[in-house]
Amino acid sequence: MKILGIETSCDETAVCLLEAQGDVSTAQFKVLGNALYSQIAIHKEYGGVFPALAKREHAKNLVPLLGQALKEADVLLPIQSERTNDSEKNSEKSPNKSTEFLQTLAAKKSQLQTLLEREIGLFEDFWQFINTYDRPAIDMISVTMGPGLEPALWVGVNFSKALAIAWNMPVYPVNHLEGHVLSPLIEAHQLQKIAFPALSLIISGGHTELVVIKDWLDYQVIGQTKDDAVGEAFDKVARMLDLPYPGGPEISKLAEQFNEQKRREIKEKYNVVFPRPMIDSKDFDFSFSGLKTSVLYFIKKIKDANPDLATNLSPELKSVIAEEFQNAVTDVLVYKTEKAFDEFGVKNLILGGGVTANTHIRTAFEKMILQSPHIHLIIPPTIISTDNAVMIAVAGYFNFLLGRHSRTDFKAVGNLSL
Ligand code: KG4
Ligand code: ZN
């Protein structure tokens, strides 16, 4: 079946068409079309995501991206006028499919207009598009309903409902975190190895959660952050080091900029050591706000004590701060995750979320799992680590396979949990 995936929870507007077949243990996927617009350049100026701007950009870009994804998938066909399709005589007697489609569409116009009225310009683009192309051969729509920025989520939610009405197809609301958890299973060799209970560590800009997956779509959150999410901490520390948003990839690059010898010298000279918050706590919760504050105080202390560094830290020192911060985060993540293995009889470990794009963190988990050879580690390819629509379509397919119902009455939920 063909699934249209739509994602607008944060600063990525994404639409994809995914072909999926097989049951839960044999599912196979093929991405037929994939279009993504990252708003990073726009939000950079604000040093983070600005919700009203994200909403506006989603509204502006959804229709062009839909066109792009469907075109790539080769399912976008202009509506044929009757004259070119049938002979004039025939057309009067029996309207062709396109004519019928346009007629039913016209009857739904005010309903669709009401649905999209809150997103500036979206109805106009949508109406033009939907009246230009035939209903594509798609079986269902899957859209992120949360968690995320509510104004941004609503754009995707309303857009997918409008498409579902216009094209008369089911829509499955999906949890964004479930998308992060299930998307690595797009690779068949990973799906074949899945066994429950599995453990998932979700590390993204908005979330840090350890989740036991007892069975398909059956989750138990065993730990989460008490304050900042990991990605958020990366972004904030990056700002302290004058790096642009999003800070994660920048910190990662900076941390490796100088050779090891040089980094060690600087680390010793300035005694760059940060805490590993909550590493010894009995629970599985995390906290990254204190670590972030330690970095802030450290920078202030260094600047006060070294007049030559007062306006600008040296690139070498910045690199060592980035490295030590990254190490501190990694140590906590790895240690707490490993601690859950025995307690929950874990058979698989699935990493998910944008921060899994971090090479140091990936390597640390690969090393750690060598100590637990009975556990299979699944890390998403970096290309689907950060937000995208494919992960939403994959999650939608599993929801469909497991008998969840399509719905039309759902809302965007900013703080949706697993
Ligand atoms: O999953 P995601 O794309 O969006 C959310 O659902 O939040 O994650 C975005 C987060 C940002 O905070 C970004 O800085 C972080 O993922 N990130 C990274 C890396 N690439 C993205 N953090 C550390 N290292 C990276 N290479
Ligand atoms: Zn995400």
Side-chain angles (χ1 to χ4, degrees), residues 9 176 180 204 353-354 386-387 391:
S9 69
H176 180 86
H180 278 308
S204 71
T386 47
D387 291 352
M391 68 188 218

Side-chain angles (χ1 to χ4, degrees), residues 63-330:
V63 173
L65 291 171
L66 173 69
Q68 203 181 313
L70 296 185
K71 193 160 177 219
E72 189 190 334
D74 214 11
V75 295
L76 196 59
L77 300 170
I79 289 177
Q80 302 280 317
S81 77
E82 280 182 34
R83 261 159 229 263
T84 55
N85 237 6
D86 300 351
S87 74
E88 237 172 275
K89 200 170 122 228
N90 271 350
S91 69
E92 272 166 29
K93 281 185 188 153
S94 58
N96 71 10
K97 269 195 161 163
S98 300
T99 310
E100 272 176 41
F101 171 65
L102 289 175
Q103 277 167 356
T104 49
L105 202 55
K108 295 171 184 169
K109 184 173 179 182
S110 70
Q111 185 190 3
L112 293 165
Q113 205 158 11
T114 310
L115 193 54
L116 298 178
E117 71 189 356
R118 284 188 298 176
E119 333 304 344
I120 296 162
L122 184 56
F123 174 74
E124 290 72 18
D125 291 356
F126 169 85
W127 190 246
Q128 158 105 38
F129 181 90
I130 215 94
N131 276 279
T132 306
Y133 299 101
D134 254 327
R135 181 194 185 282
I138 294 172
D139 302 285
M140 63 177 259
I141 298 169
S142 177
V143 64
T144 306
M145 69 175 288
L149 303 169
E150 227 161 84
L153 287 163
W154 268 116
V155 188
V157 165
N158 284 332
F159 184 65
S160 58
K161 286 184 184 181
L163 284 176
I165 292 167
W167 287 339
N168 195 24
M169 61 181 68
V171 47
Y172 285 75
V174 159
N175 185 313
H176 180 86
L177 301 178
E178 189 159 67
H180 278 308
V181 173
L182 296 177
S183 57
L185 305 182
I186 195 168
E187 298 186 303
H189 67 279
Q190 302 289 25
L191 182 64
Q192 281 153 16
K193 294 205 176 117
I194 198 85
F196 301 108
L199 181 70
S200 182
L201 175 70
I202 304 167
I203 39 177
S204 71
H207 292 85
T208 307
E209 292 194 5
L210 257 180
V211 183
V212 173
I213 312 174
K214 296 188 245 172
D215 199 348
W216 289 106
L217 311 189
D218 185 1
Y219 308 102
Q220 180 193 352
V221 178
I222 58 164
Q224 53 194 317
T225 181
K226 293 186 168 298
D227 37 62
D228 291 354
V230 181
E232 192 181 353
F234 265 97
D235 295 339
K236 287 176 178 169
V237 167
R239 222 180 304 162
M240 296 174 201
L241 298 172
D242 309 310
L243 299 169
Y245 172 84
E250 299 288 334
I251 294 237
S252 164
K253 250 187 286 167
L254 182 65
E256 289 168 11
Q257 220 170 41
F258 298 93
N259 69 45
E260 241 185 289
Q261 166 78 17
K262 181 88 204 160
R263 290 204 302 258
R264 203 171 317 132
E265 278 168 31
I266 299 278
K267 187 172 162 63
E268 276 165 25
K269 179 171 172 195
Y270 293 99
N271 190 26
V272 190
V273 183
F274 300 137
R276 271 63 176 158
M278 291 187 73
I279 199 159
D280 291 319
S281 71
K282 296 250 175 308
D283 53 23
F284 295 99
D285 287 334
F286 302 92
S287 163
F288 294 104
S289 165
L291 172 59
K292 174 194 72 187
T293 311
S294 299
V295 179
L296 186 70
Y297 285 164
F298 176 83
I299 293 174
K300 187 176 175 324
K301 197 180 77 189
I302 290 283
K303 285 187 170 178
D304 288 348
N306 300 273
D308 55 320
L309 299 175
T311 46
N312 231 334
L313 300 178
S314 66
E316 292 86 348
L317 181 53
K318 281 185 179 178
S319 166
V320 172
I321 293 173
E323 185 190 24
E324 170 64 6
F325 165 76
Q326 190 172 260
N327 285 343
V329 168
T330 309

Side-chain angles (χ1 to χ4, degrees), residues 346-368:
V346 169
K347 293 182 178 150
N348 277 231
L349 173 62
I350 309 176
L351 303 189
V355 182
T356 62
N358 185 286
T359 316
H360 182 73
I361 293 177
R362 294 170 84 91
T363 311
F365 275 93
E366 278 158 4
K367 264 194 207 150
M368 170 266 252

